Amino acid sequence: MDEKRETLRHLLATVAYRGGKAVRGAPADFAAFRAGPTSRRPAEILAHVGDLYDWALSMASGSEQWHDSQPLDWDAEVDRFFHALAAFDAFLSSPQPLACPVERLFQGPIADSLTHVGQIALLRRLAGSAVRGENYSRADIVAGRVGREQSPPRREFD
């Protein structure tokens, strides 16, 4: 596998780790929390992240298309997030050629998803259920580990 593709896979594992941390243990009413009258709810943001990874897979496979999904209930949306990451990672780990440049995948769906994972973490804090920070450069993040099951944090901050 080429180095750029392997880097994309590590980026996906990073999204899974950080995203998993942002959604894990969220209170039951968190999905509907609004920070303001025009802000998106966490469930809407997470649905958008699922759409981003469906789009990324379509870009990579040469059939680029975008869909705006209606949010599912929180647990189903969390499952969708991890399934979308896994589907994209499976394509990246396959011998199938990429139909678009790696840089385009990074600057579009992947970078956008990192922004939205950060929004979800911020909304957790605003909703009274803060996610503990950590030194992510020391986290046990491995290409291919894109599911719910992630390594525990090595060192979180108070």
Side-chain angles (χ1 to χ4, degrees):
M1 178 173 303
D2 72 54
E3 190 175 320
K4 286 184 176 184
R5 243 172 128 136
E6 192 60 31
T7 298
L8 276 185
R9 293 190 69 220
H10 190 84
L11 287 166
L12 291 183
T14 301
V15 171
Y17 184 89
R18 286 178 170 240
K21 188 167 183 169
V23 301
R24 191 172 27 261
D29 59 349
F30 177 66
F33 175 76
R34 275 203 194 271
T38 60
S39 67
R40 287 196 282 182
R41 294 184 297 269
E44 293 169 318
I45 295 169
L46 197 55
H48 177 67
V49 174
D51 292 341
L52 287 170
Y53 282 102
D54 291 345
W55 177 44
L57 180 58
S58 75
M59 291 168 68
S61 64
S63 59
E64 185 172 351
Q65 51 188 294
W66 177 261
H67 298 284
D68 282 316
S69 299
Q70 291 299 311
L72 306 169
D73 71 65
W74 184 250
D75 288 334
E77 206 57 70
V78 170
D79 284 341
R80 180 176 174 237
F81 166 69
F82 288 113
H83 288 319
L85 286 172
F88 186 39
D89 185 69
F91 182 88
L92 291 174
S93 67
S94 79
Q96 294 291 327
L98 288 176
C100 70
V102 166
E103 293 82 2
R104 188 164 170 243
L105 291 165
F106 175 73
Q107 74 188 35
I110 295 172
D112 197 28
S113 74
L114 287 166
T115 297
H116 296 306
V117 165
Q119 286 176 318
I120 292 169
L122 175 65
L123 289 172
R124 286 281 303 268
R125 179 172 296 281
L126 292 173
S129 178
V131 176
R132 292 181 69 190
E134 72 176 275
N135 182 344
Y136 290 104
S137 72
R138 302 227 183 260
D140 181 27
I141 297 173
V142 178
R145 189 184 304 146
V146 294
R148 275 187 189 257
E149 297 302 316
Q150 296 291 320
S151 295
R154 291 190 172 162
R155 182 170 182 260
E156 290 184 310
F157 308 126
D158 290 326

